Amino acid sequence: QKEVEQDPGPLSVPEGAIVSLNCTYSNSAFQYFMWYRQYSRKGPELLMYTYSSGNKEDGRFTAQVDKSSKYISLFIRDSQPSDSATYLCAMSDTDKLIFGTGTRLQVFP
Amino acid sequence: DAGVTQSPTHLIKTRGQQVTLRCSPKSGHDTVSWYQQALGQGPQFIFQYYEEEERQRGNFPDRFSGHQFPNYSSELNVNALLLGDSALYLCASSRLAGGSDTQYFGPGTRLTVL
């Protein structure tokens, strides 16, 4: 069993839709949770950073962490074609990041 | 403010050769981590450097080695290249004193081993 599980998709949605991306994990020691966006053939770009459980909102993006269920989510409101990318969840207990495989998202006009 | 930079952008090598990849961290950052990302996979942690010392290491063989310089820049060296080493190699920088979990990535070096 992988430490971090993420549905690889692809996920295809119309412009304006609400997108929900999710990851589950097995290591209860994880304290720091991140979402990265990666465009094709580029490096990952940090989108959201959350410490422990709770919600965090930044513009159209909302990150949720439920440590009791070992489940994290990223919601994208009013999705745009420019949101088309691979979304990677990442988490850590020390300084080493453990990533999911990434979910490929396509937003069509 | 320049972000994390990596060189070269692309590299093609043959099996058995050696390669050196370079990384300059974001201004104000003192910690550099290296990751390997195979096609269709998430990045996998190779190792992390702080104060010119290796702090942590992932599950990679000794063929993978690194170095950090006094100006915080870093190199990743891979010896005796295998076909399976073909991947995107990512460098991430962070500030240890501020909690180094906030890591910022460079654009990566795409290595192809033939």
Side-chain angles (χ1 to χ4, degrees):
Chain A
Q1 183 190 7
K2 288 185 179 180
E3 276 192 288
V4 179
E5 299 277 0
Q6 184 175 9
D7 187 336
L11 187 60
S12 186
V13 302
E15 183 175 355
I18 296 175
V19 176
S20 172
L21 304 168
N22 312 293
C23 287
T24 59
Y25 62 94
S26 57
N27 187 347
S28 57
F30 288 146
Q31 295 278 4
Y32 304 93
F33 304 90
M34 287 134 281
W35 285 94
Y36 285 86
R37 177 174 62 195
Q38 186 174 28
Y39 292 111
S40 181
R41 296 186 170 270
K42 302 290 185 184
E45 171 194 7
L46 181 64
L47 275 179
M48 301 289 283
Y49 172 88
T50 309
Y51 172 70
S52 195
S53 284
N55 293 358
K56 186 173 184 177
E57 188 174 320
D58 184 3
R60 297 185 295 111
F61 298 90
T62 299
Q64 289 185 349
V65 174
D66 182 349
K67 290 189 70 181
S68 62
S69 302
K70 297 191 182 68
Y71 187 88
I72 71 170
S73 301
L74 177 71
F75 298 95
I76 307 174
R77 291 183 298 281
D78 187 25
S79 56
Q80 302 295 310
S82 58
D83 294 329
S84 298
T86 295
Y87 289 80
L88 295 154
C89 64
M91 45 202 79
S92 74
D93 57 346
T94 56
D95 303 319
K96 174 178 70 174
L97 297 183
I98 307 297
F99 283 87
T101 54
T103 298
R104 193 155 56 93
L105 171 67
Q106 182 175 6
V107 181
F108 56 90
Chain B
D1 176 28
V4 181
T5 60
Q6 291 186 245
S7 62
T9 307
H10 297 91
L11 208 49
I12 298 175
K13 293 285 188 178
T14 56
R15 280 178 298 173
Q17 285 190 311
Q18 179 262 343
V19 69
T20 298
L21 311 181
R22 295 176 177 81
C23 171
S24 290
K26 188 176 165 66
S27 178
H29 286 185
D30 55 13
T31 304
V32 172
S33 304
W34 286 92
Y35 293 81
Q36 179 195 66
Q37 186 177 24
L39 200 61
Q41 300 297 316
Q44 284 200 301
F45 177 77
I46 302 174
F47 43 52
Q48 184 181 84
Y49 278 85
Y50 171 69
E51 288 189 338
E52 303 178 50
E53 299 270 340
E54 185 182 288
R55 291 186 73 237
Q56 282 197 69
R57 188 179 183 91
N59 189 24
F60 279 80
D62 291 345
R63 298 187 298 110
F64 290 78
S65 63
H67 189 77
Q68 186 179 34
F69 300 94
N71 67 353
Y72 308 120
S73 67
S74 177
E75 287 182 349
L76 164 66
N77 300 291
V78 187
N79 294 323
L81 285 167
L82 304 174
L83 295 179
D85 294 333
S86 294
L88 181 68
Y89 287 85
L90 295 161
C91 167
S93 76
S94 51
R95 192 166 58 89
L96 187 67
S100 63
D101 300 280
T102 308
Q103 298 187 17
Y104 294 88
F105 284 81
T109 294
R110 186 160 299 279
L111 172 65
T112 302
V113 181
L114 303 176

